[in-house]
Amino acid sequence: MSMELLPEWMAGLEEEDVVFIKKFVLASGSLKEVAGQYGVTYPTVRLRLDRLIQKIRLTEDAAADPYIATIKRLAVNEKLDLETAKVLIAEYKKTKNKEE
């Protein structure tokens, strides 16, 4: 399948995320079954699913404001702590509102 045919939210995912989605779908959405396949605990799979949901939402947010999407992506990928991300976004919004 060509990347051009993939929806934007899926094209932006890493291969390991796509494999996770495939396993999740084939397990009929059973996090317990996916946990068994990966040999990890249910909470670990739940956390991974939550992060994947955040990544998909970020792709949708990117079109609206690429800067905010980048900050959120850094936080989701644990390159930036959540509190710092919130401060950066708040300051950016203040600056942006002054310009408008």
Side-chain angles (χ1 to χ4, degrees):
M1 181 181 284
S2 169
M3 291 297 271
E4 296 163 4
L5 299 177
L6 289 175
E8 188 175 334
W9 68 266
M10 194 169 204
L13 296 177
E14 297 169 22
E15 177 143 357
E16 67 184 53
D17 294 329
V18 175
V19 170
F20 179 84
I21 290 170
K22 181 179 178 182
K23 287 184 179 196
F24 181 71
V25 170
L26 291 174
S28 299
S30 169
L31 293 180
K32 187 175 180 181
E33 187 175 326
V34 173
Q37 290 176 20
Y38 279 103
V40 297
T41 63
Y42 174 91
T44 301
V45 174
R46 180 72 235 180
L47 180 62
R48 180 150 187 201
L49 181 60
D50 289 343
R51 285 199 177 131
L52 185 54
I53 291 167
Q54 289 176 329
K55 284 183 180 182
I56 292 168
R57 287 187 177 144
L58 285 176
T59 303
E60 294 173 352
D61 293 347
D65 194 314
Y67 177 81
I68 292 176
T70 299
I71 297 298
K72 288 181 178 179
R73 188 176 310 108
L74 288 170
V76 168
N77 292 328
E78 298 179 345
K79 304 288 185 198
L80 185 66
D81 68 271
L82 187 58
E83 290 307 310
T84 303
K86 288 179 182 178
V87 169
L88 289 171
I89 290 170
E91 289 300 315
Y92 172 73
K93 285 181 176 178
K94 282 184 201 173
T95 304
K96 191 173 179 183
N97 287 339
K98 285 180 186 175
E99 290 173 359
E100 293 174 354

